[in-house]
Amino acid sequence: MTLEQKIGQFFFPAVFINDSEENIQATEALIKKYNIGGLTFFHSRASAATNYESKKKVEFNDDSYQRLKELIVRYQKCTSTPF
């Protein structure tokens, strides 16, 4: 691994189960470019701690478990170093 790839392994960015396709593709690009070490999953951007002040509506997804599994598989396919 290069030094840049080793440093990328220290990062675990937040991702969200209810993200749009555009956000998912941006995360995939991040994984490929920086060889990040893993991901931290949250239900939605509105349910994350950053929403505390803005009080956005939390979106619920009855298929959260299935969606999470699909996203994990999708993100793992675009990494050269498994999470």
Side-chain angles (χ1 to χ4, degrees):
M1 254 190 255
T2 67
L3 178 60
E4 186 175 84
Q5 290 173 323
K6 289 177 184 178
I7 292 169
Q9 288 290 289
F10 286 107
F11 290 89
F12 287 72
V15 292
F16 303 89
I17 295 172
N18 291 329
D19 261 351
S20 66
E21 181 62 26
E22 182 178 308
N23 292 123
I24 292 169
Q25 289 176 3
T27 300
E28 289 174 327
L30 186 73
I31 292 168
K32 291 174 185 173
K33 183 173 182 180
Y34 295 107
N35 194 47
I36 61 170
L39 300 169
T40 305
F41 284 88
F42 292 93
H43 188 267
S44 67
R45 292 180 184 274
S47 67
T50 55
N51 184 47
Y52 181 75
E53 293 295 325
S54 62
K55 306 288 186 213
K56 291 181 183 173
K57 181 183 174 198
V58 175
E59 298 174 29
F60 291 99
N61 181 348
D62 292 333
D63 298 321
S64 293
Y65 179 70
Q66 183 62 33
R67 174 78 169 159
L68 177 61
K69 289 191 324 184
E70 291 167 2
L71 287 173
I72 289 170
V73 169
R74 183 170 172 179
Y75 289 137
Q76 285 180 331
K77 284 182 180 178
C78 65
T79 184
S80 59
T81 308
F83 317 131

